[in-house]
Amino acid sequence: MKKWYAVIGDPISHSLSPFMHDHWFEKHGIDASYIPVHVEPKQLEQAFRSMKLLGISGFNITLPHKQAAIPLLDELDDTARIMNAVNTVAAENGRLKGFNTDGDGFVRSLLSYPVDKERALLVIGAGGAARGISFALSRAGFSNITITNRTFRRAQELADETGSKAVVLAEAEANLSEFATIVQTTSVGLTEEALPLSLTHLGSGSVVADIIYNPLETPFLKEAKAKGCLVLNGVGMFVNQGAIAFEKWTGIRPDTEEMIQLITEKLGGNHVNR
Ligand code: ATR
């Protein structure tokens, strides 16, 4: 019987997940459909009941439901529990199990670049995204992580939880050349021409990542590139979080490089940004 999958969010019409998963289902000869469903916060519980009733095989959860979904699940995996947020659900025998593939998706994306796990890595930001990424980086063996954030207290709390260091923004800015890898996790650059911190002291040998993928090149990445750094945008994280979800549902590891290229083209770029 044909299987069905979905992504729920508010808003949802611009999601690229249906394109991505439908492409992979077709490529692997899997008889399944993946649909975007607009669910408002007040409808979340009803949406879960309905999807279960209608025999959904799995779904993704995007903003603003990643936390509110937790009490509606039958089971939660450790990563989702630590992050207190769910982006992927698998239905097995009518039971819904929640996962979070965002942090691991970022790490997979980063590892396709020449990065050294022993060398100093800076995470900018201390919100939900930074949390998932910091835990995933630690799990993956990155051993020298520093966190900085506009609100220092949040950086300190996250650093304490992940066994990392925390520094104030001014200190991170002054010592930027010491970081071999820099990861930008805030929303700065999404809608405005601004930087989360000054890149004056950035060296030319760093790998600089931004989790934003629309625009493909944030002002932060543009400046890092101009300084000679190797840069990566958030397309790789987006595709890899989807690939890990797809693998949980089907057992198949899809082609992420081809999908990064396709999504980049959809977003107006003509080549992979590296
Ligand atoms: P998300 O789940 O997307 O990470 P979040 O939990 O609201 O969202 O966290 C947003 C992050 O972006 C935080 O690190 C936030 O810094 P504060 O903790 O100081 O609020 C950061 N951020 C948002 N707007 C910012 C701005 N204009 N300048 C610097 N940092 C900003």
Side-chain angles (χ1 to χ4, degrees):
M1 201 167 71
K2 191 180 186 82
K3 293 186 170 184
W4 78 285
Y5 295 83
V7 56
I8 61 168
D10 178 23
I12 200 62
S13 60
H14 292 102
S15 172
L16 290 166
S17 292
F19 166 78
M20 178 161 71
H21 288 286
D22 275 341
H23 181 91
W24 286 335
F25 283 136
E26 193 176 336
K27 194 163 174 176
H28 293 284
I30 296 170
D31 189 17
S33 283
Y34 185 108
I35 57 167
V37 183
H38 181 209
V39 176
E40 290 174 20
K42 63 176 190 301
Q43 304 168 313
L44 193 62
E45 197 173 342
Q46 208 181 349
F48 265 65
R49 271 203 305 274
S50 307
M51 290 192 294
K52 228 170 161 174
L53 191 70
L54 297 173
I56 198 164
S57 293
F59 54 99
N60 289 121
I61 302 175
T62 188
L63 301 179
H65 304 311
K66 289 184 179 190
Q67 283 189 347
I70 290 179
L72 306 174
L73 294 162
D74 300 305
E75 224 178 308
L76 202 58
D77 111 309
D78 286 346
T79 312
R81 191 186 313 275
I82 288 169
M83 289 174 64
N84 193 31
V86 171
N87 79 330
T88 300
V89 176
E92 278 160 29
N93 309 318
R95 284 174 63 79
L96 300 180
K97 180 166 183 183
F99 302 87
N100 198 312
T101 68
D102 285 330
D104 289 336
F106 174 79
V107 171
R108 274 201 197 175
S109 167
L110 183 65
L111 289 177
S112 69
Y113 279 67
V115 289
D116 185 341
K117 292 181 180 177
E118 316 284 310
R119 295 187 63 199
L121 180 148
L122 178 70
V123 174
I124 305 167
R131 189 177 167 81
I133 286 170
S134 301
F135 273 101
L137 286 168
S138 304
R139 271 199 310 276
F142 283 82
S143 55
N144 190 351
I145 301 174
T146 301
I147 301 171
T148 191
N149 190 44
R150 177 177 63 178
T151 309
F152 176 70
R153 178 185 49 79
R154 294 184 82 194
Q156 186 66 65
E157 282 168 9
L158 183 54
D160 288 346
E161 274 191 88
T162 52
S164 317
K165 295 181 282 285
V167 296
V168 296
L169 273 184
E171 191 179 336
E173 283 174 344
N175 298 319
L176 217 49
S177 62
E178 289 172 16
F179 294 99
T181 310
I182 297 170
V183 183
Q184 194 312 96
T185 73
T186 77
S187 50
V188 180
L190 196 57
T191 54
E192 78 281 53
E193 289 287 316
L195 301 177
L197 53 66
S198 157
L199 293 180
T200 307
H201 298 293
L202 180 65
S204 61
S206 304
V207 173
V208 178
D210 199 318
I211 67 165
I212 294 173
Y213 59 88
N214 195 7
L216 287 169
E217 200 172 62
T218 56
F220 181 77
L221 285 191
K222 209 173 284 179
E223 193 163 330
K225 205 168 166 183
K227 292 232 170 207
C229 294
L230 197 55
V231 302
L232 70 146
N233 63 28
V235 175
M237 175 181 176
F238 171 68
V239 169
N240 277 286
Q241 64 74 30
I244 300 170
F246 189 85
E247 213 175 322
K248 289 195 187 300
W249 296 331
T250 65
I252 296 167
R253 193 164 179 162
D255 182 345
T256 49
E257 282 304 316
E258 179 205 36
M259 186 53 64
I260 288 170
Q261 182 74 29
L262 291 173
I263 300 268
T264 301
E265 283 164 15
K266 268 193 169 293
L267 293 171
N270 51 14
H271 58 85
V272 175
N273 193 16
R274 58 172 73 176

